[in-house]
Amino acid sequence: MELGINDRIAARVRDLRGRHGLSLEALAEASGVSRSMISLIERGESSPTAVVLEKLATGLGVSLATLFEAPAAPPHPVSRRADQIEWRDPASGYVRRNVSPGGFPSPIQIVEVIFPAGERVAYETAARPGVTHQQIWVLEGVIQVMLGDEDFELRPGDCLAMVLDRPITYRNPTQRPARYCVVIVGPRPA
């Protein structure tokens, strides 16, 4: 039986918290997300925003993309389009799709994002366990990326490489959606 997206996130957060031996209180302290919100998320009773999920991912020492993987996905090197789950951020409306095969032992994760016109998402989390590299390759539209104090405007074909060690803000300053690919290389759970 295929889990809905909130149930998948719930199971994944519970699984990762268990693997790390963290209580709800410990994850709340590590992530800056309240114990009650984590509890709601783990029961599938909340539709968390991208900002909340990023805080949880950082507290768990994984990338945001890891929270969308099936908790016990069998390793397979092929990810079929029909099996790639999409998630819509309830705050900004941006849609992300994990493209990489779930459960496959690779440090690389690929995500496609469709970012609505005029929207903004700010991830205030800076320090992450280990080193996480990310590249953003714009396929359609325009996206502004503020990495710490540096501001980048990216257009189709542009690619920005970065280390995720500072707060990051994404913004679509136009009246049209932007579509881009995010490639992440960093620590993955065992």
Side-chain angles (χ1 to χ4, degrees):
M1 180 177 119
E2 183 66 27
L3 293 176
I5 188 64
N6 285 338
D7 292 329
R8 179 179 281 205
I9 292 168
R12 192 65 170 141
V13 171
R14 271 192 321 270
D15 178 61
L16 289 167
R17 184 170 64 81
R19 286 183 192 202
H20 287 81
L22 295 172
S23 66
L24 284 173
E25 292 81 10
L27 181 54
E29 186 175 319
S31 66
V33 176
S34 74
R35 180 188 182 284
S36 60
M37 176 56 76
I38 296 169
S39 180
L40 287 171
I41 291 167
E42 287 190 356
R43 292 191 317 260
E45 296 175 4
S46 174
S47 196
T49 66
V51 172
V52 168
L53 290 177
E54 173 67 17
K55 288 179 180 181
L56 285 175
T58 300
L60 291 164
V62 298
S63 71
L64 178 61
T66 300
L67 297 184
F68 297 96
E69 293 178 350
H76 193 277
V78 177
S79 173
R80 302 282 181 210
R81 174 60 180 103
D83 298 328
Q84 296 167 3
I85 194 155
E86 291 184 354
W87 174 78
R88 180 178 303 274
D89 177 30
S92 68
Y94 94 77
V95 176
R96 67 179 288 128
R97 175 171 58 94
N98 279 16
V99 176
S100 296
F104 191 76
S106 171
I108 301 166
Q109 292 174 302
I110 300 172
V111 175
E112 179 188 47
V113 175
I114 299 174
F115 206 78
E119 289 298 329
R120 176 182 179 277
V121 173
Y123 299 114
E124 297 172 5
T125 312
R128 290 166 172 83
V131 177
T132 300
H133 294 267
Q134 178 172 292
Q135 292 191 18
I136 300 167
W137 176 32
V138 177
L139 304 170
E140 298 172 12
V142 176
I143 193 87
Q144 290 178 332
V145 179
M146 180 74 128
L147 181 62
D149 294 332
E150 296 179 87
D151 194 12
F152 303 94
E153 182 171 285
L154 306 173
R155 298 181 173 278
D158 294 347
C159 184
L160 172 65
M162 66 187 91
V163 173
L164 296 181
D165 59 357
R166 297 172 272 176
I168 185 169
T169 300
Y170 296 87
R171 184 172 165 268
N172 181 344
T174 72
Q175 299 299 312
R176 298 180 53 161
R179 185 169 69 94
Y180 55 94
C181 178
V182 181
V183 178
I184 306 153
V185 177
R188 300 274 308 260

